[in-house]
Amino acid sequence: MDNLVKAARRGLACLDLTNLNDDCTHEDIDLLCERAQTPHGPVAAVCLWPQFISQARTRLHGTGIRVATVVSFPEGDHPVSDVIAMTEKAVANGADEIDLVVPYKALMEGHPENIPARVARVKEACDGAVLKAILETGVLSERALIAEAAKLAIDGGADFIKTSTGKVRVNATPQAVEAMLEVIRTSKLPVGLKPSGGVRTTEDAKLYLDMCDAAMGPDWVSPTTFRFGASGVLDALLATLEGQAAPDTGDGY
Protein backbone atom coordinates (compact mmCIF):
# COMPACT_ATOMS: atom_id res chain seq x y z
CA MET A 1 0.00 0.00 0.00
CA ASP A 2 2.86 2.41 0.72
CA ASN A 3 4.01 2.01 -2.88
CA LEU A 4 0.50 2.79 -4.14
CA VAL A 5 0.30 5.88 -1.94
CA LYS A 6 3.62 7.08 -3.31
CA ALA A 7 2.41 6.43 -6.86
CA ALA A 8 -0.82 8.30 -6.16
CA ARG A 9 1.11 11.30 -4.87
CA ARG A 10 3.40 11.32 -7.92
CA GLY A 11 0.52 10.77 -10.31
CA LEU A 12 -1.57 13.59 -8.86
CA ALA A 13 1.26 16.10 -9.35
CA CYS A 14 1.61 15.00 -13.00
CA LEU A 15 -2.08 14.91 -13.91
CA ASP A 16 -3.63 16.90 -16.76
CA LEU A 17 -7.21 16.96 -15.49
CA THR A 18 -9.22 16.82 -18.68
CA ASN A 19 -12.65 17.67 -20.03
CA LEU A 20 -12.86 17.29 -23.80
CA ASN A 21 -16.46 16.16 -23.82
CA ASP A 22 -18.50 17.39 -26.78
CA ASP A 23 -21.18 18.74 -24.44
CA CYS A 24 -18.80 20.50 -22.03
CA THR A 25 -20.27 23.68 -20.50
CA HIS A 26 -18.92 26.70 -18.64
CA GLU A 27 -20.27 25.14 -15.44
CA ASP A 28 -18.28 21.98 -16.19
CA ILE A 29 -15.11 24.07 -16.53
CA ASP A 30 -15.75 25.76 -13.18
CA LEU A 31 -16.06 22.31 -11.64
CA LEU A 32 -12.92 21.08 -13.42
CA CYS A 33 -10.91 24.02 -12.07
CA GLU A 34 -12.28 23.42 -8.58
CA ARG A 35 -11.41 19.71 -8.71
CA ALA A 36 -7.90 20.55 -9.91
CA GLN A 37 -7.15 22.13 -6.52
CA THR A 38 -7.27 19.04 -4.32
CA PRO A 39 -6.70 18.68 -0.57
CA HIS A 40 -3.51 16.79 -1.48
CA GLY A 41 -2.13 19.46 -3.75
CA PRO A 42 -2.82 20.78 -7.23
CA VAL A 43 -2.74 18.83 -10.46
CA ALA A 44 -0.23 19.89 -13.11
CA ALA A 45 -2.73 21.31 -15.62
CA VAL A 46 -6.28 21.33 -16.87
CA CYS A 47 -6.83 20.35 -20.50
CA LEU A 48 -9.95 21.71 -22.21
CA TRP A 49 -11.45 23.01 -25.42
CA PRO A 50 -10.04 26.31 -26.75
CA GLN A 51 -13.22 28.28 -26.06
CA PHE A 52 -12.73 27.76 -22.31
CA ILE A 53 -9.11 28.95 -22.03
CA SER A 54 -9.87 32.44 -20.72
CA GLN A 55 -12.37 31.14 -18.19
CA ALA A 56 -9.91 28.57 -16.82
CA ARG A 57 -7.11 31.14 -16.80
CA THR A 58 -9.20 33.41 -14.58
CA ARG A 59 -10.40 30.63 -12.28
CA LEU A 60 -6.88 29.24 -11.76
CA HIS A 61 -5.04 32.53 -11.34
CA GLY A 62 -2.39 32.22 -8.65
CA THR A 63 -2.70 28.43 -8.25
CA GLY A 64 0.26 27.45 -10.44
CA ILE A 65 -2.00 25.09 -12.40
CA ARG A 66 -1.33 25.35 -16.12
CA VAL A 67 -3.95 25.64 -18.85
CA ALA A 68 -3.67 23.26 -21.81
CA THR A 69 -5.83 23.04 -24.91
CA VAL A 70 -6.07 20.98 -28.08
CA VAL A 71 -5.67 21.85 -31.77
CA SER A 72 -6.38 19.81 -34.90
CA PHE A 73 -8.37 17.59 -32.55
CA PRO A 74 -9.21 14.75 -32.77
CA GLU A 75 -8.52 13.80 -36.41
CA GLY A 76 -5.18 15.57 -36.95
CA ASP A 77 -5.98 16.50 -40.53
CA HIS A 78 -7.06 20.15 -40.34
CA PRO A 79 -5.44 22.48 -42.91
CA VAL A 80 -2.14 23.75 -41.56
CA SER A 81 -3.23 27.39 -41.85
CA ASP A 82 -6.23 26.66 -39.62
CA VAL A 83 -4.06 24.86 -37.08
CA ILE A 84 -1.60 27.75 -36.93
CA ALA A 85 -4.47 30.19 -36.43
CA MET A 86 -5.97 27.98 -33.69
CA THR A 87 -2.62 27.80 -31.94
CA GLU A 88 -1.91 31.52 -32.12
CA LYS A 89 -5.38 32.34 -30.79
CA ALA A 90 -5.06 29.81 -27.96
CA VAL A 91 -1.71 31.21 -26.86
CA ALA A 92 -3.04 34.78 -27.08
CA ASN A 93 -5.94 33.74 -24.84
CA GLY A 94 -3.55 32.40 -22.22
CA ALA A 95 -2.88 28.74 -23.00
CA ASP A 96 0.34 27.50 -21.42
CA GLU A 97 0.35 24.24 -23.37
CA ILE A 98 -0.86 23.10 -26.78
CA ASP A 99 -1.77 19.45 -27.43
CA LEU A 100 -1.55 18.94 -31.21
CA VAL A 101 -2.86 15.86 -33.00
CA VAL A 102 -0.19 15.11 -35.58
CA PRO A 103 -1.21 14.00 -39.12
CA TYR A 104 -0.83 10.35 -38.18
CA LYS A 105 -2.99 9.19 -41.08
CA ALA A 106 -0.44 10.68 -43.47
CA LEU A 107 2.23 8.49 -41.89
CA MET A 108 0.05 5.42 -42.42
CA GLU A 109 -0.43 6.46 -46.06
CA GLY A 110 3.31 6.78 -46.71
CA HIS A 111 3.89 10.49 -46.08
CA PRO A 112 6.01 10.61 -42.90
CA GLU A 113 7.40 14.05 -43.75
CA ASN A 114 4.04 15.62 -42.89
CA ILE A 115 4.52 15.01 -39.16
CA PRO A 116 7.78 16.92 -38.48
CA ALA A 117 6.71 19.66 -40.88
CA ARG A 118 3.40 20.16 -39.03
CA VAL A 119 5.00 19.96 -35.59
CA ALA A 120 7.66 22.50 -36.53
CA ARG A 121 5.08 24.99 -37.81
CA VAL A 122 2.93 24.68 -34.71
CA LYS A 123 5.96 24.83 -32.42
CA GLU A 124 6.81 28.21 -33.94
CA ALA A 125 3.24 29.41 -33.43
CA CYS A 126 3.36 28.30 -29.77
CA ASP A 127 5.63 31.27 -29.02
CA GLY A 128 7.08 29.59 -25.94
CA ALA A 129 4.06 27.52 -24.90
CA VAL A 130 4.74 23.81 -24.34
CA LEU A 131 3.86 21.65 -27.35
CA LYS A 132 2.61 18.09 -26.85
CA ALA A 133 2.33 15.99 -30.01
CA ILE A 134 -0.52 13.45 -29.93
CA LEU A 135 0.40 10.38 -31.98
CA GLU A 136 -2.89 8.40 -31.73
CA THR A 137 -0.97 5.22 -30.96
CA GLY A 138 -4.10 3.06 -30.74
CA VAL A 139 -4.74 3.66 -34.45
CA LEU A 140 -1.09 3.39 -35.50
CA SER A 141 -1.11 0.13 -33.55
CA GLU A 142 2.18 -1.34 -34.78
CA ARG A 143 5.24 -0.73 -32.62
CA ALA A 144 7.35 0.33 -35.60
CA LEU A 145 4.80 2.94 -36.68
CA ILE A 146 4.44 4.25 -33.12
CA ALA A 147 8.20 4.57 -32.79
CA GLU A 148 8.45 6.29 -36.18
CA ALA A 149 5.71 8.77 -35.27
CA ALA A 150 7.42 9.50 -31.97
CA LYS A 151 10.77 10.13 -33.64
CA LEU A 152 9.21 12.33 -36.31
CA ALA A 153 7.38 14.42 -33.71
CA ILE A 154 10.59 14.87 -31.73
CA ASP A 155 12.43 15.80 -34.93
CA GLY A 156 9.83 18.52 -35.44
CA GLY A 157 10.50 19.99 -32.01
CA ALA A 158 7.75 18.56 -29.79
CA ASP A 159 8.30 19.12 -26.07
CA PHE A 160 6.17 16.06 -25.18
CA ILE A 161 4.90 13.07 -27.09
CA LYS A 162 1.41 11.93 -26.09
CA THR A 163 -0.23 8.62 -26.85
CA SER A 164 -3.82 9.41 -27.63
CA THR A 165 -6.79 11.70 -28.02
CA GLY A 166 -8.96 9.52 -25.80
CA LYS A 167 -11.49 9.51 -28.65
CA VAL A 168 -10.67 6.16 -30.25
CA ARG A 169 -11.22 2.57 -29.17
CA VAL A 170 -7.62 1.93 -28.02
CA ASN A 171 -5.79 4.69 -26.17
CA ALA A 172 -2.72 4.48 -23.91
CA THR A 173 -1.20 1.01 -23.60
CA PRO A 174 2.00 -0.21 -21.93
CA GLN A 175 3.26 -1.41 -25.31
CA ALA A 176 2.89 2.04 -26.89
CA VAL A 177 4.46 3.76 -23.90
CA GLU A 178 7.39 1.35 -23.95
CA ALA A 179 8.05 2.18 -27.61
CA MET A 180 7.78 5.92 -26.96
CA LEU A 181 10.12 5.79 -23.97
CA GLU A 182 12.71 3.98 -26.07
CA VAL A 183 12.57 6.76 -28.68
CA ILE A 184 12.87 9.46 -26.02
CA ARG A 185 15.82 7.72 -24.41
CA THR A 186 17.57 7.24 -27.75
CA SER A 187 17.02 10.86 -28.75
CA LYS A 188 18.89 12.13 -25.67
CA LEU A 189 16.66 15.21 -25.83
CA PRO A 190 14.60 16.69 -22.97
CA VAL A 191 11.28 15.38 -24.29
CA GLY A 192 8.40 14.46 -22.02
CA LEU A 193 5.80 11.67 -22.22
CA LYS A 194 2.04 11.76 -21.75
CA PRO A 195 0.00 8.53 -21.57
CA SER A 196 -3.58 9.61 -22.25
CA GLY A 197 -6.92 7.86 -22.18
CA GLY A 198 -7.79 4.68 -20.33
CA VAL A 199 -5.80 5.48 -17.16
CA ARG A 200 -8.44 4.62 -14.57
CA THR A 201 -6.84 3.37 -11.37
CA THR A 202 -3.89 4.05 -9.11
CA GLU A 203 -2.52 0.71 -10.27
CA ASP A 204 -2.69 1.95 -13.87
CA ALA A 205 -0.81 5.09 -12.89
CA LYS A 206 1.81 3.11 -10.97
CA LEU A 207 2.44 0.85 -13.97
CA TYR A 208 3.36 3.80 -16.19
CA LEU A 209 5.39 5.52 -13.47
CA ASP A 210 7.33 2.29 -12.89
CA MET A 211 7.98 2.00 -16.63
CA CYS A 212 9.39 5.52 -16.69
CA ASP A 213 11.57 4.85 -13.66
CA ALA A 214 12.98 1.72 -15.30
CA ALA A 215 13.59 3.35 -18.69
CA MET A 216 14.67 6.86 -17.70
CA GLY A 217 15.82 6.63 -14.08
CA PRO A 218 14.03 7.23 -10.77
CA ASP A 219 14.49 11.01 -10.86
CA TRP A 220 13.13 11.59 -14.37
CA VAL A 221 9.40 11.83 -13.68
CA SER A 222 8.15 15.30 -12.83
CA PRO A 223 5.45 17.59 -14.25
CA THR A 224 8.03 18.98 -16.68
CA THR A 225 8.71 15.54 -18.18
CA PHE A 226 5.62 13.43 -17.53
CA ARG A 227 1.85 13.84 -17.55
CA PHE A 228 -1.23 11.69 -17.38
CA GLY A 229 -4.12 12.75 -19.61
CA ALA A 230 -7.14 11.62 -17.64
CA SER A 231 -10.01 12.82 -15.54
CA GLY A 232 -11.50 9.62 -14.14
CA VAL A 233 -8.24 8.69 -12.41
CA LEU A 234 -8.33 11.69 -10.07
CA ASP A 235 -10.91 10.13 -7.75
CA ALA A 236 -8.90 6.90 -7.67
CA LEU A 237 -5.69 8.75 -6.72
CA LEU A 238 -7.46 10.73 -4.01
CA ALA A 239 -9.08 7.57 -2.62
CA THR A 240 -5.64 5.92 -2.37
CA LEU A 241 -4.18 8.96 -0.61
CA GLU A 242 -7.09 9.00 1.83
CA GLY A 243 -7.06 5.24 2.50
CA GLN A 244 -10.47 4.70 0.95
CA ALA A 245 -11.83 2.11 -1.45
CA ALA A 246 -11.22 2.87 -5.09
CA PRO A 247 -14.30 4.32 -6.84
CA ASP A 248 -15.75 3.25 -10.18
CA THR A 249 -13.79 5.64 -12.41
CA GLY A 250 -15.64 5.04 -15.68
CA ASP A 251 -13.88 5.75 -18.93
CA GLY A 252 -10.86 7.47 -17.46
CA TYR A 253 -10.51 10.38 -19.90
Side-chain angles (χ1 to χ4, degrees):
M1 179 57 73
D2 287 347
N3 286 337
L4 273 184
V5 170
K6 181 180 178 182
R9 191 173 297 115
R10 297 173 76 196
L12 179 66
C14 294
L15 178 62
D16 285 3
L17 191 63
T18 301
N19 189 329
L20 294 171
N21 296 332
D22 293 336
D23 59 354
C24 184
T25 66
H26 288 283
E27 291 75 18
D28 293 331
I29 295 303
D30 284 343
L31 178 59
L32 188 78
C33 293
E34 182 180 337
R35 293 185 71 221
Q37 304 169 68
T38 85
H40 298 275
V43 302
V46 295
C47 186
L48 35 76
W49 293 112
Q51 63 265 34
F52 299 117
I53 293 169
S54 296
Q55 178 185 349
R57 190 93 213 162
T58 299
R59 289 299 302 261
L60 295 172
H61 179 71
T63 64
I65 299 170
R66 298 169 68 84
V67 177
T69 194
V70 291
V71 298
S72 201
F73 189 94
E75 297 295 333
D77 52 11
H78 291 71
V80 66
S81 59
D82 291 352
V83 180
I84 297 301
M86 292 176 202
T87 302
E88 290 175 344
K89 183 177 180 180
V91 172
N93 286 341
D96 300 297
E97 302 176 358
I98 301 294
D99 288 27
L100 162 74
V101 184
V102 304
Y104 62 91
K105 296 172 190 173
L107 172 61
M108 299 173 74
E109 294 164 358
H111 301 286
E113 69 280 0
N114 290 17
I115 291 181
R118 177 67 58 94
V119 172
R121 292 286 304 277
V122 176
K123 174 71 171 177
E124 184 178 359
C126 281
D127 193 28
V130 168
L131 177 60
K132 307 192 198 88
I134 306 173
L135 309 183
E136 203 66 290
T137 57
V139 176
L140 294 176
S141 181
E142 298 174 10
R143 183 185 177 100
L145 271 181
I146 293 169
E148 185 176 5
K151 183 180 185 305
L152 292 167
I154 292 172
D155 288 346
D159 299 300
F160 273 74
I161 50 175
K162 173 178 171 180
T163 60
S164 322
T165 61
K167 300 293 187 178
V168 295
R169 186 177 63 84
V170 176
N171 294 290
T173 65
Q175 293 77 17
V177 167
E178 181 182 43
M180 293 163 71
L181 282 169
E182 175 62 25
V183 173
I184 292 172
R185 185 173 61 227
T186 301
S187 77
K188 302 186 184 304
L189 294 171
V191 177
L193 172 73
K194 182 176 173 179
S196 187
V199 183
R200 299 181 177 88
T201 67
T202 303
E203 288 81 2
D204 291 339
K206 183 178 183 300
L207 171 63
Y208 290 120
L209 291 167
D210 288 348
M211 289 178 67
C212 290
D213 289 346
M216 307 299 295
D219 299 322
W220 184 77
V221 168
S222 78
T224 62
T225 56
F226 183 83
R227 301 288 180 84
F228 287 114
S231 53
V233 76
L234 177 60
D235 288 339
L237 298 176
L238 292 175
T240 298
L241 290 169
E242 293 166 5
Q244 299 176 1
D248 179 359
T249 54
D251 181 61
Y253 192 87

